[in-house]
Amino acid sequence: MNEYRLLEAAKRLQETNQTVEKIAGAVGYQNVYYFSKQFKKRFHLSPSEFRRQAR
């Protein structure tokens, strides 16, 4: 389930201009710090770094 949520978040980071906080909430994370930690563990980049590289 976490994998799906993180992949959905990555997709949203690439395709939208929503804030990281909004994306984290939309995919089911209530704590943006925890979301960022899990995202970095999976993609080896912070959500902001991932977004910069994806564009």
Side-chain angles (χ1 to χ4, degrees), residues 13 20 35-37 39-40 45-52:
L13 285 165
V20 172
F35 164 74
S36 294
K37 189 174 175 181
F39 193 94
K40 190 164 188 167
L45 296 167
S46 72
S48 298
E49 292 167 336
F50 183 88
R51 177 175 267 163
R52 278 194 295 277

Side-chain angles (χ1 to χ4, degrees), residues 17 21 23 26 34 41 51:
N17 289 324
E21 291 82 4
I23 291 172
Y34 180 72
K41 187 190 291 187
R51 177 175 267 163

Side-chain angles (χ1 to χ4, degrees), residues 28-44:
Y29 288 92
Q30 294 180 352
N31 183 318
V32 73
Y33 175 78
Y34 180 72
F35 164 74
S36 294
K37 189 174 175 181
Q38 294 302 305
F39 193 94
K40 190 164 188 167
K41 187 190 291 187
R42 168 62 175 85
F43 293 102
H44 308 287

Side-chain angles (χ1 to χ4, degrees), residues 12-30:
R12 289 176 187 224
L13 285 165
Q14 291 174 322
E15 296 176 356
T16 73
N17 289 324
Q18 288 181 314
T19 65
V20 172
E21 291 82 4
K22 279 199 180 260
I23 291 172
V27 298
Y29 288 92
Q30 294 180 352

